[in-house]
C-alpha cells in the first residue's frame, strides 16, 4: 500500500506541475507573440481550462483512491 500511496503522490504532483508549467509557457508565449493569438477565435487562455479540468479530475480521482485506501487500512 505504501508503493501505491507514493505513486498517487507522484501522480498528483505531476499533474499540478504540468498545469503550472503549461500555464507559465502559455503566458510567456502570449506576451512574446500576441499577434498569433489575435488570429484565433478563442481567447489565449482557453487551453488552460482544458489542462485545469484534466488536472482537477486527476487530483480528485487520486484523492478518492487515497481516502479509500486509508479507510480500508484502518
Amino acid at each position: 500500500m505504501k508503493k501505491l500511496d507514493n505513486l498517487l503522490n507522484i501522480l498528483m504532483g505531476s499533474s499540478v506541475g504540468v498545469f503550472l508549467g503549461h500555464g507559465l509557457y502559455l503566458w510567456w508565449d502570449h506576451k512574446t507573440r500576441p499577434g498569433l493569438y489575435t488570429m484565433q477565435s478563442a481567447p489565449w487562455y482557453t487551453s488552460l481550462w482544458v489542462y485545469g479540468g484534466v488536472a482537477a479530475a486527476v487530483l480528485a480521482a487520486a484523492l478518492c483512491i487515497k481516502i479509500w485506501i486509508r479507510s480500508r487500512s484502518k
Side-chain angles (χ1 to χ4, degrees):
M1 288 297 174
K2 185 69 174 166
K3 286 184 180 183
L4 182 60
D5 192 47
N6 286 339
L7 179 69
L8 289 172
N9 287 338
I10 291 169
L11 183 68
M12 291 167 62
S14 297
S15 66
V16 170
V18 166
F19 174 70
L20 290 176
H22 177 71
L24 286 173
Y25 172 75
L26 190 61
W27 174 77
W28 171 79
D29 194 40
H30 178 258
K31 292 296 177 187
T32 305
R33 296 177 268 187
L36 290 176
Y37 293 94
T38 57
M39 295 186 305
Q40 296 177 353
S41 62
W44 64 271
Y45 53 84
T46 303
S47 68
L48 279 180
W49 287 103
V50 175
Y51 274 81
V54 170
V58 168
L59 286 174
L63 276 174
C64 289
I65 293 171
K66 285 176 73 94
I67 290 170
W68 181 72
I69 288 171
R70 290 189 180 165
S71 69
R72 295 271 310 207
S73 65
K74 288 182 182 180

